[in-house]
Amino acid sequence: IPNGISEEAFGKRVTNGNYVLYIGRIDIVQKGLDLLLAAFSKTAKNLSLDLVIAGNGPVSEEKKLMDLVGKYKLENRVKFVGRVDGVKKEKLLQNAMFGVYPSRFEDFPLVPLEYMSFSKPVVCFDVAGMKWVPDNVSLKAKPFKIDELSAKIAKISTDSPLRLRLAKNARPFAKKYGWNNIARDYEKFCMDVVEMDTKRRNLA
């Protein structure tokens, strides 16, 4: 049974702002932020949107992040806003054009579901931990291929019909993971366990 997400987002109005959003822990290696910045730098000059990075991490990781922003001369195109919660996080999700999640490895991350709960498509690498995200809500690059990730970001940014089609599918998919559905799954699981235990006792 997977993790669930709040169902409050399902009724929120959304718009398409002029930025791509990353939300997550600031961990350069696992979260692939070095790959994201390298990819964004390759296409930033051809796009009108910025990259907003939200999250926090060890001071050393945050410094590495800002060093990479400087290395790629993206100071005017990348906005690091730190940890966000509540209304601030909600507004970032509501107004993003799409979400990006460039991790090198994951188990079952909740952030892509949060993107989708606000009708935002996801751009990511096609790694094992993201296999559960279907193609009709996402664009996936081959693992760790910077040029391909850059191309996917450019594609979804400039192809409005594609982006709208993915966005239309995103929220219905996310609703499968709403807490009400997850609670019913847990209830069924517990009832199945009780039934199995009862049968075992009867056979003993």
Side-chain angles (χ1 to χ4, degrees):
I1 300 174
N3 284 318
I5 56 171
S6 171
E7 298 182 335
E8 292 180 3
F10 299 150
K12 301 287 185 179
R13 292 183 178 180
V14 298
T15 61
N16 280 320
N18 65 336
Y19 61 90
V20 51
L21 178 64
Y22 166 86
I23 294 180
R25 188 174 71 254
I26 304 304
D27 182 327
I28 302 301
V29 174
Q30 181 187 347
K31 298 300 183 180
L33 291 170
D34 53 336
L35 305 176
L36 173 59
L37 290 171
F40 188 69
S41 71
K42 288 179 174 291
T43 194
K45 63 181 179 296
N46 299 318
L47 302 175
S48 60
L49 80 167
D50 294 329
L51 169 61
V52 174
I53 297 177
N56 65 341
V59 173
S60 59
E61 291 296 293
E62 293 185 4
K63 182 179 184 303
K64 289 177 186 177
L65 174 68
M66 299 314 298
D67 287 346
L68 286 168
V69 171
K71 173 185 175 181
Y72 292 114
K73 297 179 171 56
L74 292 170
E75 293 91 342
N76 295 325
R77 302 297 303 278
V78 174
K79 299 176 182 178
F80 175 44
V81 298
R83 181 181 175 85
V84 293
D85 291 298
V87 174
K88 188 174 182 180
K89 180 179 180 181
E90 182 178 296
K91 286 184 176 180
L92 281 175
L93 287 161
Q94 281 180 287
N95 299 316
M97 184 179 289
F98 58 95
V100 64
Y101 207 74
S103 291
R104 284 182 167 90
F105 55 93
E106 288 288 348
D107 291 321
F108 188 97
L110 287 178
V111 170
L113 276 176
E114 290 183 308
Y115 293 154
M116 289 182 277
S117 71
F118 282 88
S119 296
K120 305 302 177 179
V122 181
V123 175
C124 61
F125 287 118
D126 191 14
V127 295
M130 298 294 286
K131 294 293 186 185
W132 59 275
V133 178
D135 292 339
N136 69 347
V137 301
S138 66
L139 291 184
K140 296 181 180 180
K142 292 179 181 177
F144 324 134
K145 299 295 184 182
I146 292 172
D147 287 344
E148 189 166 335
L149 181 63
S150 180
K152 298 296 184 184
I153 291 172
K155 176 68 173 176
I156 199 170
S157 301
T158 57
D159 189 337
S160 296
L162 169 65
R163 188 173 65 250
L164 292 174
R165 186 166 65 251
L166 298 176
K168 184 178 180 180
N169 295 326
R171 184 169 275 172
F173 177 76
K175 285 181 177 180
K176 298 176 183 178
Y177 296 86
W179 275 121
N180 286 336
N181 286 332
I182 299 302
R184 283 191 286 269
D185 288 344
Y186 270 109
E187 181 181 32
K188 182 179 183 303
F189 172 76
C190 291
M191 294 300 294
D192 288 345
V193 170
V194 170
E195 183 179 353
M196 290 171 61
D197 186 61
T198 300
K199 288 180 178 179
R200 180 185 63 80
R201 292 174 181 273
N202 290 337
L203 291 173

Coordinates of all heavy atoms in Angstrom, one line a residue, residues 7 20 26 39 43 91 100 107 117 126 136 155 163 167 172 175 182 185 187:
E7 N -6.1 15.4 0.1 CA -7.1 15.6 -1.0 C -7.5 17.1 -1.1 O -8.3 17.4 -2.0 CB -8.3 14.7 -0.7 CG -7.9 13.2 -0.7 CD -9.1 12.3 -0.5 OE1 -10.1 12.8 0.1 OE2 -9.0 11.1 -1.0
V20 N 9.4 26.6 -13.9 CA 9.4 25.2 -13.6 C 9.7 25.0 -12.1 O 10.6 25.8 -11.6 CB 10.3 24.4 -14.5 CG1 11.7 25.0 -14.6 CG2 10.4 22.9 -14.1
I26 N 17.4 19.4 -0.5 CA 18.6 19.8 -1.2 C 19.7 18.8 -0.9 O 20.4 18.8 0.1 CB 19.1 21.2 -0.8 CG1 17.9 22.2 -0.9 CG2 20.3 21.7 -1.6 CD1 17.3 22.3 -2.3
A39 N 21.2 20.6 -17.2 CA 20.2 20.5 -18.3 C 19.5 21.9 -18.5 O 19.3 22.3 -19.6 CB 19.2 19.5 -17.9
T43 N 19.2 25.0 -22.1 CA 18.0 25.5 -22.8 C 17.5 26.8 -22.3 O 16.6 27.4 -22.9 CB 16.9 24.4 -22.7 OG1 15.9 24.7 -23.7 CG2 16.4 24.3 -21.3
K91 N 0.9 27.9 -3.2 CA 0.9 28.9 -4.3 C 2.0 28.6 -5.3 O 1.8 28.7 -6.5 CB 1.2 30.3 -3.7 CG 0.0 30.9 -3.0 CD 0.2 32.3 -2.6 CE -1.1 32.9 -2.0 NZ -0.9 34.3 -1.5
V100 N 9.5 19.3 -11.9 CA 10.7 18.5 -12.3 C 11.2 17.8 -11.1 O 11.2 18.3 -10.0 CB 11.8 19.4 -13.0 CG1 12.3 20.4 -12.0 CG2 12.9 18.6 -13.6
D107 N 12.6 5.7 -3.7 CA 11.7 4.6 -3.4 C 10.3 4.9 -4.0 O 10.0 4.5 -5.0 CB 11.7 4.4 -1.9 CG 13.0 3.9 -1.4 OD1 13.6 3.0 -2.1 OD2 13.4 4.3 -0.3
S117 N -1.3 16.4 -8.1 CA -2.5 16.8 -7.4 C -2.9 18.2 -7.7 O -4.1 18.6 -7.6 CB -2.4 16.7 -5.9 OG -1.5 17.6 -5.3
D126 N 13.9 8.3 -16.1 CA 13.2 7.1 -16.1 C 14.0 6.1 -15.2 O 14.5 5.1 -15.7 CB 13.1 6.5 -17.5 CG 12.1 5.4 -17.6 OD1 11.4 5.1 -16.7 OD2 12.1 4.7 -18.7
N136 N 1.4 9.1 -19.4 CA 0.4 10.1 -19.8 C 0.3 11.3 -18.9 O -0.6 12.1 -19.0 CB -1.0 9.4 -20.0 CG -1.5 9.0 -18.7 OD1 -0.9 8.9 -17.6 ND2 -2.8 8.6 -18.7
K155 N 10.7 20.8 -24.4 CA 9.5 20.3 -25.1 C 8.3 20.6 -24.4 O 7.3 21.2 -25.0 CB 9.7 18.8 -25.3 CG 8.4 18.1 -25.9 CD 8.3 18.4 -27.4 CE 7.2 17.6 -28.0 NZ 6.9 18.0 -29.4
R163 N 1.5 19.8 -23.1 CA 1.5 20.1 -21.7 C 0.1 20.0 -21.1 O -0.2 19.5 -20.0 CB 2.1 21.5 -21.4 CG 2.3 21.8 -20.0 CD 3.1 23.1 -19.8 NE 2.4 24.3 -20.3 CZ 2.7 25.0 -21.4 NH1 3.7 24.6 -22.1 NH2 2.0 26.0 -21.7
A167 N -1.4 17.6 -18.3 CA -2.0 18.2 -17.1 C -3.4 17.7 -16.8 O -3.8 17.4 -15.7 CB -2.0 19.7 -17.2
P172 N -6.5 13.4 -12.1 CA -7.2 12.1 -11.9 C -6.3 11.0 -11.4 O -6.7 10.1 -10.7 CB -7.8 11.8 -13.3 CG -8.0 13.2 -13.9 CD -6.8 14.0 -13.4
K175 N -5.6 11.4 -7.7 CA -6.7 11.1 -6.9 C -6.7 9.6 -6.4 O -7.3 9.3 -5.3 CB -8.0 11.4 -7.6 CG -8.3 12.9 -7.7 CD -9.6 13.2 -8.4 CE -9.9 14.7 -8.4 NZ -11.2 14.9 -9.1
I182 N -6.5 5.5 0.2 CA -5.5 4.7 0.9 C -6.0 4.1 2.2 O -5.7 3.0 2.5 CB -4.3 5.6 1.2 CG1 -3.6 6.2 -0.1 CG2 -3.2 4.9 2.0 CD1 -3.2 5.1 -1.1
D185 N -7.8 1.0 1.4 CA -6.9 -0.1 1.1 C -6.4 -0.7 2.4 O -6.3 -1.9 2.5 CB -5.7 0.4 0.2 CG -6.1 0.7 -1.2 OD1 -7.2 0.3 -1.6 OD2 -5.4 1.4 -1.9
E187 N -7.9 -0.6 5.3 CA -9.1 -1.3 5.9 C -9.2 -2.7 5.3 O -9.4 -3.7 6.0 CB -10.3 -0.5 5.7 CG -11.5 -1.2 6.4 CD -12.8 -0.4 6.1 OE1 -12.9 0.3 5.1 OE2 -13.7 -0.4 7.0

